[in-house]
Amino acid sequence: MPVTFTFGEWFSARTVIGQTLADLGEEYPNLWAVTPDIGMTLVEFREKFPDRFLDVGLAEQVAVGVAAGLAYEGNIPVVSGMLPFLSMRALEQIRTDVCYPNLPVKIIGTHGGLVGNGGSTHYAVEDLSLMCSLTNMTVTSIGDPLMVGEILRQSMKMQGPIYIRLAVGKSDMVLYEPGQHDIQIGKGIVAREGTDVTIFTHGTTVAQTFEAADALEAKSHSVRVVDMFTLKPIDADLVERCAKETGGRFVVVEDHLAYGGLASRIADVVVDRGINLTGFERLGIPQVFAGFGDDEELRNKYGYGLSATIEAAERVIAAKK
Amino acid sequence: MGQTTLGSQGQRHSVAELEDLAFELRSKLLYLCGTYEGAVHIGGDLSVADILIALYHYGLNIDPSNIANPARDRFILSKGHAAVCMYIAMAMRGFFEFDEIVETYGQLDSAFGMHPCKVQLPGVEASTGSLGHGLPIAVGMAKSARQRNEPHRVFCLLGDGETGEGSVWEAAMAGRSSELGNLVAIVDRNRQLMTSFGEDRIVLEPYPDKWAAFGWNVVMVEGHDMADLVKALDNLPAPDSNRPTVLICETIKGKGVDFMERNLAWHAGSLGQADLERAMASLEASRAGKEKN
């Protein structure tokens, strides 16, 4: 059943995944959905294509291994689950069974970052670092629920594997008007134009960064926001352009370990291309097991919440050349 | 679901012919182990030599001249460290030349490495080597065949030590749950791990009961008795039946070379010229002994 989406409303990324896969299943008779007992997003797909749906129960390793077997046979398997488990319990299967032969397995899941209040067993905070290290893997982290559908759609035409990271996915703010941006895997989205500083972010913290930008604009700062939803391959040209156009002032905010995620990817570009920065701050999760609390409380506690973002941007803007 | 025979195999081999082929495979293995400078997993190669001959020269419906034929049986070597034994069995079946293996094995840019790589050697069905990965992949392939109503089988050869990996049992559950009668696991039950004898450190028994408890059709096979292997392959349940089958093949690590048999020192190694001659003499003697019986 088609649903109309409205900009600025809250919507479920899970619903988008379910509907997109149910649609793509018509278009791609070789599309499969595989899940380790996290099939609630896949009800429609399962009902439409019961012979291409497989729930293996609580068994992430075999979920990914089976997906590799399906892909060897010319199918396009989408493995849907919870990322702390898919990215770690099944890491070797992802690396060796999927990436090594470069199979078109799509891994999509929730619980990227300090979300869901499940505690450190249920937070994927190292996942982007792990996935970015894998040969042949494309790595994305999506904040806008509607974008998930577009990324899934684009991924159907990709040869190799892709990792798609979401937050909890039950209720996410629609950030972009349909058609507002040209969304392409591998290209960052300049979501707000500005000249004083660039704030790079992805996933759960995109909406928060928009709020920070509003607050900074109110103080007469011109803030560029880049939704760097593809971490690998990183859009190095955009990083370089932002350095030129925003005075070499960068802030990176992410719901991931501060070292090993987007900030590190950008720092690599800066070093490799010899880009001179005036200021650089990275906000993210420190090397701790974070404990309980809701998303906002945890972001504030660990220094990558709204006020921390505003303060970091002000410090970077004030930095002397 | 009928299955057409692929390739130009003509008449199927007799047991005696298969035994000759297994002898030839072992001779070639020893030759490679004597000429290649690095280590070869000779112990576990020799324990699966008969199984691989029974598969590549009898049981598998395959066509070396059309490796992508969708109707072919799939074979995954989950115990990837026996790759060289598989390469030689495949060469003898016409997939490539044995000389290619001897000339390039383990060398820079060779397609023939210690563990099989699908990208470098498209004739193999999957890249393996990390233990416990083959059976989940086989489940995916068998599931795909079912969905497409294709009548071929998917075979997967595992070491018994390998079945200490939990992912094997995840796959055993998945294979049963999906009622994959087209899936056949073959276990090389040589009762040795790399550094210990079976049961000393990790208890696998009651081994057949474990597979039966996971809902599999269990068949016990003498893994060095070609007639028994052929019988097991002839009597597999139909691919459209609803339970996967495991052939538990009782084997001996190092089989055929007296000083390697059940010897922990020969999990992997290389043979010098003198040892190669000694190994070949032992192989000949064991064949002569067999013929006398």
Side-chain angles (χ1 to χ4, degrees):
Chain A
M1 184 195 298
V3 168
T4 50
F5 305 108
T6 311
F7 174 68
E9 280 190 351
W10 294 83
F11 202 81
S12 159
R14 283 181 181 177
T15 309
V16 178
I17 297 171
Q19 290 197 341
T20 307
L21 290 179
D23 290 348
L24 289 172
E26 305 265 10
E27 204 175 320
Y28 294 89
N30 55 344
L31 177 68
W32 284 66
V34 179
T35 182
D37 192 35
I38 310 286
M40 48 281 212
T41 54
L42 305 171
V43 175
E44 196 178 340
F45 185 90
R46 189 185 71 207
E47 283 168 0
K48 275 171 93 174
F49 314 106
D51 61 332
R52 289 188 271 139
F53 170 83
L54 180 62
D55 182 347
V56 295
L58 289 163
E60 288 77 15
Q61 297 179 78
V62 84
V64 176
V66 164
L70 291 168
Y72 271 125
E73 294 295 326
N75 299 294
I76 306 175
V78 176
V79 182
S80 173
M82 283 173 66
L83 295 179
F85 316 125
L86 278 177
S87 72
M88 293 190 286
R89 183 77 67 94
L91 176 60
E92 199 202 352
Q93 277 76 14
I94 294 173
R95 177 220 181 242
T96 300
D97 301 345
V98 172
C99 291
Y100 181 26
N102 197 22
L103 297 172
V105 174
K106 324 297 170 192
I107 293 165
I108 185 163
T110 57
H111 292 73
L114 301 183
V115 294
N117 201 3
S120 287
T121 53
H122 284 59
Y123 302 142
V125 300
E126 307 90 347
D127 60 323
L128 297 173
S129 178
L130 297 168
M131 291 300 136
C132 282
S133 66
L134 301 179
T135 301
N136 290 331
M137 181 61 92
T138 295
V139 182
T140 63
S141 169
I142 313 293
D144 179 281
L146 306 188
M147 236 172 96
V148 177
E150 178 56 29
I151 297 304
L152 269 174
R153 202 166 279 284
Q154 287 185 21
S155 78
M156 292 299 115
K157 301 205 189 317
M158 287 173 55
Q159 279 292 309
I162 183 169
Y163 181 82
I164 303 171
R165 182 202 221 224
L166 308 171
V168 174
K170 280 183 189 158
S171 180
D172 308 87
M173 191 190 282
V174 176
L175 303 173
Y176 307 122
E177 300 267 17
Q180 185 183 354
H181 298 289
D182 178 24
I183 294 165
Q184 281 182 52
I185 296 169
K187 297 283 176 209
I189 296 172
V190 180
R192 300 267 183 114
E193 276 297 355
T195 53
D196 293 343
V197 63
T198 304
I199 307 179
F200 294 95
T201 187
H202 60 82
T204 32
T205 45
V206 177
Q208 173 190 288
T209 303
F210 288 172
E211 276 187 71
D214 287 342
L216 289 158
E217 299 277 351
K219 296 181 182 183
S220 303
H221 297 301
S222 170
V223 178
R224 179 176 296 189
V225 178
V226 172
D227 179 352
M228 200 64 114
F229 71 91
T230 310
L231 280 86
K232 184 177 176 234
I234 192 80
D235 190 349
D237 289 344
L238 179 59
V239 172
E240 190 166 359
R241 182 155 70 80
C242 289
K244 276 191 198 119
E245 294 173 358
T246 66
R249 297 169 203 274
F250 284 180
V251 174
V252 186
V253 186
E254 59 186 321
D255 202 359
H256 184 271
L257 291 179
Y259 289 82
L262 179 62
S264 296
R265 307 285 301 164
I266 290 173
D268 284 347
V269 173
V270 167
V271 172
D272 290 352
R273 295 205 171 186
I275 297 168
N276 285 318
L277 292 186
T278 311
F280 181 88
E281 289 217 23
R282 63 172 91 204
L283 309 183
I285 307 164
Q287 287 263 317
V288 297
F289 288 106
F292 303 102
D294 76 23
D295 315 0
E296 196 181 338
E297 288 167 338
L298 289 169
R299 286 204 287 264
N300 288 334
K301 177 174 179 183
Y302 292 109
Y304 63 103
L306 177 61
S307 58
T309 306
I310 295 167
E311 287 158 20
E314 287 178 322
R315 280 194 302 274
V316 168
I317 290 168
K320 295 224 162 59
K321 283 236 182 193
Chain B
M1 294 195 276
Q3 196 169 13
T4 41
T5 305
L6 307 177
S8 51
Q9 203 169 8
Q11 248 185 331
R12 294 178 95 185
H13 289 297
S14 67
V15 168
E17 287 165 344
L18 292 168
E19 285 171 347
D20 287 345
L21 288 168
F23 177 81
E24 183 186 337
L25 172 57
R26 284 194 168 87
S27 307
K28 287 181 156 143
L29 258 174
L30 291 176
Y31 175 77
L32 192 107
C33 192
T35 51
Y36 175 64
E37 282 184 4
V40 173
H41 287 98
I42 191 72
D45 285 332
L46 288 167
S47 69
V48 296
D50 302 293
I51 296 168
L52 286 170
I53 288 297
L55 286 169
Y56 274 101
H57 296 262
Y58 185 84
L60 293 179
N61 190 28
I62 45 173
D63 177 3
S65 67
N66 182 5
I67 58 172
N69 190 323
R72 75 195 186 278
D73 285 335
R74 313 301 196 258
F75 172 70
I76 296 175
L77 183 71
S78 194
K79 51 170 286 182
H81 54 288
V84 72
C85 194
M86 175 177 68
Y87 301 151
I88 298 171
M90 291 174 80
M92 290 166 62
R93 182 71 173 77
F95 280 83
F96 24 73
E97 295 294 321
F98 175 61
D99 287 349
E100 274 184 72
I101 305 171
V102 174
E103 283 160 18
T104 71
Y105 180 72
Q107 294 177 33
L108 184 67
D109 297 331
S110 173
F112 304 99
M114 188 186 285
H115 302 101
C117 174
K118 170 80 177 168
V119 178
Q120 278 154 312
L121 191 66
V124 302
E125 295 288 356
S127 299
T128 53
S130 177
L131 299 176
H133 287 238
L135 197 58
I137 294 170
V139 168
M141 289 181 173
K143 186 85 186 156
S144 180
R146 270 289 162 86
Q147 192 264 337
R148 295 171 182 177
N149 206 21
E150 293 170 347
H152 62 264
R153 287 192 177 89
V154 181
F155 294 83
C156 180
L157 176 56
L158 304 95
D160 59 346
E162 174 183 4
T163 63
E165 299 282 1
S167 50
V168 171
W169 301 101
E170 288 187 14
M173 284 186 275
R176 174 66 188 94
S177 302
S178 286
E179 305 192 330
L180 299 175
N182 55 349
L183 175 62
V184 182
I186 303 170
V187 177
D188 172 26
R189 183 82 174 106
N190 64 28
R191 297 169 188 266
Q192 272 180 243
L193 283 73
M194 184 162 72
T195 63
S196 70
F197 288 99
E199 307 302 307
D200 283 357
R201 307 250 170 86
I202 181 86
V203 175
L204 291 180
E205 289 292 347
Y207 196 65
D209 296 356
K210 283 192 165 66
W211 286 95
F214 279 75
W216 284 53
N217 171 40
V218 181
V219 180
M220 300 303 294
V221 181
E222 288 300 324
H224 300 305
D225 180 336
M226 199 57 81
D228 208 33
L229 283 165
V230 162
K231 188 176 126 202
L233 293 169
D234 281 345
N235 291 300
L236 287 172
D240 60 357
S241 61
N242 63 5
R243 279 209 298 170
T245 291
V246 57
L247 308 180
I248 299 177
C249 297
E250 289 288 351
T251 57
I252 294 167
K253 202 159 169 176
K255 173 68 180 177
V257 179
D258 54 5
F259 62 88
M260 291 181 180
E261 288 188 6
R262 298 203 171 94
N263 182 349
L264 290 176
W266 284 99
H267 170 76
S270 60
L271 287 162
Q273 188 56 38
D275 277 341
L276 175 57
E277 281 167 26
R278 207 154 64 92
M280 289 301 296
S282 173
L283 187 63
E284 297 275 4
S286 92
R287 181 198 214 185
K290 205 174 194 176
E291 277 168 7
K292 235 185 285 169
N293 288 336

